[in-house]
Amino acid sequence: MSSTVTGTIDHHHDHTTTTGIPNKKLLMWAFLASDCMFFGSLISTHLVYRLHPPPGNPVPREVFDVPLTSFSTFILLMSSLMMALAVNAIQKGNLKSMRFSLLTTIFFGSIFLGCQVFEFTNFVHEKHMTITNSILGTTFYTLTGTHGTHVAIGVLWLIMMYVRSFKPADTGAHRLWFFRNVLHVAVMVGFVLSAIFTVLAVVHTVQAGESVGAFAGQNLALVAAFVVTLVAGVILARPHGPVQFSEVNAIDVESMGLYWHFVDIVWIVIFTAVYLLEYL
C-alpha cells in the first residue's frame, strides 16, 4: 500500500495566501473590486439622468458617433487578446513573444486613446457639448474620461513592463542600466504621444481637404518627434546580453493583464449603457 502526497505547484513563484491565491493577484482583485464599485456609481449616475433629462439637454443620438466608437471598441477587444498572449508567452518563458504582444497591446491602447481624444474634440467644437453646459456632457465626460485615464495608466504600465524586460541579469556590469531604462520609458511615452497626435493631425488635414505638403509644413515638429522616438525605441530595444526577466515574473504580467482585461470589460458596459442604449 502506498500513498501519494500531492501539493500545489506555484507556477508564479510568488507566496500564496491561505486562499491559495498569490499575494499580488489577490491585491489586484481587491483593487479591481473597489474600482468596479466606482465605475458602477458613475454608470448609474449617467443612466439616472438619461431617464430624466433636464430641459435643454442635448439629444445623445445627435451627438454620438457610434461607428467611430464601435471601431475603438473593437480595437480595445483586440488589445485584450494580445494581453492574453503576452501572459501565455511569459508563462512559457518566451520573452521575445511577450515583448511583441506587449508592444501590440500598447499600440492598440494608443489607437483607442487617439479615438477618444478625437471624439472629445469633435463633441466640444462641432457638437458644442462641454462638461459644464449640460448634464449629458457632465456625466458623459466624467464617465468616459475616467475610463480613458485608466487606459492611459494601463498603457504607461505596459510600457514600464516592456522596458523592465530588458533589465540585465548582471546589473553590476551594466552600471548605467537604470538611466538607460528611464530613457527607454521616456522614448516609449514620447513615441505613443507623438503617434496619437500625428494621426489626429492627419485626420484633421483630410477633413480640411488639404494636401500632404500642407500637413508636413504645419506639423513638421510632430512628424520629426514621431520618427526620432521610433528610431530611438528600436535602438534601445536591441539585445545587450542576458536579462533578469523570465517566467519567474509571470505573476507581474498576469496582474497587469487582470487590470487591462477589467478596463476592457468596463468599456463594453459603458459602450452598451451609454451609446447603444440610445438606439434601442
Side-chain angles (χ1 to χ4, degrees):
M1 180 177 180
S2 62
S3 60
T4 303
V5 179
T6 59
T8 302
I9 301 176
D10 185 6
H11 296 285
H12 305 287
H13 304 274
D14 186 64
H15 296 294
T16 57
T17 62
T18 54
T19 62
I21 303 174
N23 290 328
K24 293 179 181 179
K25 187 184 292 188
L26 186 62
L27 178 63
M28 179 54 64
W29 278 117
F31 166 74
L32 295 181
S34 64
D35 219 24
C36 186
M37 292 185 286
F38 176 61
F39 274 109
S41 64
L42 293 179
I43 294 172
S44 299
T45 301
H46 176 83
L47 292 178
V48 167
Y49 282 110
R50 174 189 174 276
L51 293 175
H52 306 284
N57 207 49
V59 180
R61 294 183 63 172
E62 297 177 358
V63 176
F64 294 155
D65 187 353
V66 172
L68 173 64
T69 313
S70 300
F71 168 74
S72 61
T73 301
F74 172 76
I75 289 297
L76 204 59
L77 287 175
M78 291 301 98
S79 73
S80 263
L81 171 62
M82 298 310 300
M83 188 69 246
L85 293 178
V87 173
N88 183 68
I90 192 58
Q91 287 176 344
K92 295 179 179 178
N94 191 338
L95 195 59
K96 184 178 180 180
S97 178
M98 184 210 71
R99 287 172 178 164
F100 174 78
S101 297
L102 288 183
L103 284 176
T104 309
T105 307
I106 293 170
F107 174 70
F108 285 155
S110 301
I111 292 178
F112 178 85
L113 291 174
C115 289
Q116 192 167 59
V117 171
F118 176 80
E119 183 182 55
F120 282 11
T121 303
N122 183 63
F123 286 175
V124 171
H125 295 291
E126 301 295 332
K127 308 296 184 179
H128 306 292
M129 184 181 76
T130 68
I131 196 172
T132 57
N133 66 2
S134 66
I135 290 295
L136 175 63
T138 301
T139 58
F140 173 80
Y141 287 122
T142 301
L143 173 57
T144 56
T146 300
H147 179 270
T149 302
H150 277 67
V151 175
I153 293 173
V155 169
L156 178 60
W157 191 359
L158 286 164
I159 290 174
M160 295 179 70
M161 187 66 69
Y162 169 77
V163 172
R164 179 187 170 191
S165 69
F166 291 94
K167 183 178 179 181
D170 184 9
T171 56
H174 301 77
R175 298 180 183 277
L176 298 179
W177 67 268
F178 176 78
F179 299 101
R180 179 187 177 86
N181 283 4
V182 171
L183 176 62
H184 201 168
V185 171
V187 166
M188 291 291 294
V189 172
F191 173 74
V192 168
L193 292 177
S194 61
I196 289 175
F197 288 105
T198 298
V199 172
L200 290 176
V202 170
V203 172
H204 289 306
T205 301
V206 172
Q207 288 181 332
E210 298 177 350
S211 64
V212 177
F215 164 78
Q218 296 171 2
N219 302 277
L220 183 60
L222 190 59
V223 174
F226 173 77
V227 174
V228 169
T229 52
L230 174 61
V231 173
V234 172
I235 294 174
L236 289 170
R238 295 175 62 185
H240 292 80
V243 296
Q244 289 185 6
F245 210 86
S246 65
E247 65 272 10
V248 175
N249 304 102
I251 185 62
D252 299 323
V253 182
E254 188 173 351
S255 297
M256 183 175 61
L258 288 175
Y259 174 86
W260 193 259
H261 295 319
F262 170 79
V263 169
D264 290 357
I265 292 172
V266 168
W267 179 252
I268 296 299
V269 177
I270 292 175
F271 180 59
T272 303
V274 175
Y275 293 87
L276 298 183
L277 197 60
E278 300 295 339
Y279 294 84
L280 296 179

